[in-house]
Amino acid sequence: MNSSKAYSAATEKSPLASTTIPRRDPGEHDVQIEILFCGICHSDLHSVRNEWSEFMPTVYPIVPGHEIVGRVTKVGSAVTKYKPGDRVGVGCLVDSDRTCPNCQAGLENFCPNLTLTFNSPDKHLGGVTYGGYSDSIVVDERFVLSVPSNLDLAGAAPLLCAGITTYSPMRHWGVTKGKKVGVVGLGGLGHMGVKFARALGAHVVVFTTSPHKTEDALRLGAHEVVVSRDANAMQKHAGSFDFILDAVSAEHDVNAYINLLRLDGNLTLVGAPAKPLAVSAFSLIMGRRNLSGSNIGGLPETQEMLNFCGEHNITSDVEVIPIQKVNEAYERLLKSDVKYRFAIDLASLKSE
C-alpha cells in the first residue's frame, strides 16, 4: 500500500485541508497515475457539503475530484493499453460489475453496481474511494482513458465530466450538420455544449438570462444568442429546434424551451435543479416532443469524445488554481464567478 498527498473534508462544514490517504499497490490490471490536473465539478461541492444526502450521502473524510488527467507512472503485468509516460484521464467511474447488459453495451455509467471515483465503497482497501484532489491514483486499465497529445492538460481535465456530459446526449440524439441546436445556460456545462454543437456542424443558439454573456457565447462558437427574458426573441424561434441542451441547475420554466422544439425535437436535461420542474403535457403532446435526461457516458463513448476533442482541438476554458485556493474556488463557484471551469494544478501539493 502507498500513501498519497491529498485534500479532504472531515465534515460537511469543514474546509478542505491537507491530508495523507492510502492508495493500493498496482495489481496486474492496474494503472498508477501521477495526477497533474483535476477539474472542479459542482458535484464536488455538493458532495463535500453533503447536499445530496437523500440519495448519495457523503462518507467522511471525503477526497473529491473526478475530472482527472495525468501521466502513467507504473502499470501491472497484464496491462496492454498503457505504458509509463502516457497521458491519461480518469472520469466519474473507476469500476462497474462489467457483466450487466449496460456494461456489455459499453454503458458502464448506467451500471447498477458502478464504483464512483470518490465516495463509493472501495473493494480493494475498504472504506470509500478517494478522488482526484490528490497527487496520485491507481485505477483498473479498463477505466483509464487516453488523452490526445495535442490537448492542453489543464483544459482537458473537465472533459472527463463536463465534456462527456454534454457530448453524449448530442451524439445520442443525432446532432449533425444542418441541425438547429439550442444551449440553455452558459456555464461549465453550457460552454462545452456550445463548442461540441458547433464542431458537430449544427447551427447553435445560446439562451441566457444575462445579456453581458452575448459576446462570450459568440466567441465560443454560437451563431445566435437569445436573452430568454425577451418574450419576442423567444417567440421568433418557436417550433424550430431539433435539439436543446438544458444545462441550468436553478429553477426555471422548462416549458418555454419545450415550445421551441420542432416536431419530434428533443430537450435533454443535464443540469439538476434541486426541485422538480413543472412540465406541461400539452407542450409535449402537440409536437410529439421529447423531454429526456442524460448522465455522463460509458467508457467507449468517453474515449470517442476525447478523440473528437483531439481532432477539433477542443478543451474547456479553465482558470488554473493551486490546491491551496480550493476553498476560495468553492465560494466563487457558488457565485458562478469562473469562466468556465476551475482546474487544480496538483504540482501545488508538493509544497504541503
Side-chain angles (χ1 to χ4, degrees):
M1 189 166 64
N2 297 302
S3 63
S4 180
K5 289 183 177 181
Y7 259 52
S8 71
T11 71
E12 63 187 60
K13 295 184 179 180
S14 301
L16 289 152
S18 180
T19 189
T20 300
I21 58 172
R23 294 292 195 194
R24 70 179 185 269
D25 294 320
E28 62 177 352
H29 294 284
D30 286 337
V31 176
Q32 186 179 64
I33 301 164
E34 176 192 7
I35 301 174
L36 299 176
F37 294 94
C38 184
I40 296 179
C41 177
H42 213 114
S43 60
D44 295 351
L45 188 154
H46 288 307
S47 297
V48 165
R49 299 185 177 180
N50 202 23
E51 292 172 352
W52 288 344
S53 59
E54 289 186 17
F55 65 96
M56 195 182 293
T58 300
V59 177
Y60 295 95
I62 179 175
V63 177
H66 58 208
E67 297 180 340
I68 299 167
V69 292
R71 291 193 183 277
V72 176
T73 54
K74 188 176 181 180
V75 298
S77 59
V79 170
T80 59
K81 292 170 61 179
Y82 303 102
K83 63 184 185 303
D86 286 350
R87 291 158 47 107
V88 295
V90 177
C92 301
L93 311 176
V94 291
D95 209 349
S96 67
D97 65 26
R98 312 184 193 193
T99 59
C100 72
N102 292 336
C103 286
Q104 293 295 308
L107 297 170
E108 297 90 349
N109 52 313
F110 296 116
C111 174
N113 302 300
L114 54 78
T115 302
L116 297 174
T117 305
F118 65 88
N119 202 45
S120 269
D122 186 336
K123 69 180 183 182
H124 300 280
L125 298 179
V128 295
T129 52
Y130 293 134
Y133 294 15
S134 171
D135 61 10
S136 70
I137 193 169
V138 177
V139 181
D140 186 289
E141 72 167 328
R142 288 181 57 170
F143 291 81
V144 178
L145 298 142
S146 179
V147 177
S149 60
N150 62 308
L151 296 182
D152 170 71
L153 280 179
L159 299 178
L160 277 303
C161 179
I164 187 59
T165 294
T166 50
Y167 179 86
S168 180
M170 290 191 186
R171 292 287 288 148
H172 182 75
W173 292 101
V175 171
T176 56
K177 187 176 181 179
K179 301 288 187 178
K180 185 175 180 181
V181 171
V183 177
V184 185
L186 194 67
L189 292 175
H191 95 287
M192 290 305 310
V194 173
K195 292 186 180 191
F196 284 135
R198 181 64 183 252
L200 287 164
H203 180 85
V204 187
V205 181
V206 166
F207 294 93
T208 179
T209 58
S210 307
H212 70 271
K213 290 189 176 181
T214 297
E215 183 179 346
D216 226 26
L218 296 172
R219 174 186 67 81
L220 291 164
H223 295 92
E224 300 179 60
V225 181
V226 174
V227 178
S228 55
R229 291 194 176 103
D230 184 338
N232 290 330
M234 293 286 283
Q235 183 58 35
K236 289 177 183 177
H237 289 276
S240 66
F241 282 87
D242 297 286
F243 178 83
I244 296 176
L245 184 81
D246 188 334
V248 175
S249 293
E251 286 186 70
H252 61 291
D253 180 13
V254 71
N255 299 291
Y257 300 102
I258 292 174
N259 289 329
L260 302 183
L261 295 172
R262 66 169 70 245
L263 178 68
D264 289 329
N266 173 272
L267 185 149
T268 295
L269 301 174
V270 291
K275 296 181 181 179
L277 298 174
V279 177
S280 166
F282 283 100
S283 295
L284 296 174
I285 290 170
M286 299 310 291
R288 199 166 64 187
R289 295 158 172 153
N290 301 277
L291 175 63
S292 65
S294 188
N295 174 35
I296 55 171
L299 274 299
E301 189 173 53
T302 304
Q303 187 62 64
E304 175 191 306
M305 178 272 305
L306 287 168
N307 295 343
F308 182 87
C309 288
E311 293 166 10
H312 295 270
N313 200 29
I314 294 173
T315 54
S316 178
D317 285 24
V318 295
E319 179 180 336
V320 179
I321 62 165
I323 191 104
Q324 292 81 6
K325 290 191 176 181
V326 67
N327 294 301
E328 176 187 327
Y330 273 26
E331 295 307 313
R332 288 179 56 195
L333 190 60
L334 289 171
K335 302 171 187 173
S336 299
D337 179 24
V338 59
K339 286 187 174 180
Y340 280 92
R341 207 78 165 184
F342 287 111
I344 303 168
D345 182 351
L346 273 307
S348 57
L349 259 182
K350 294 176 182 177
S351 63
E352 291 289 335

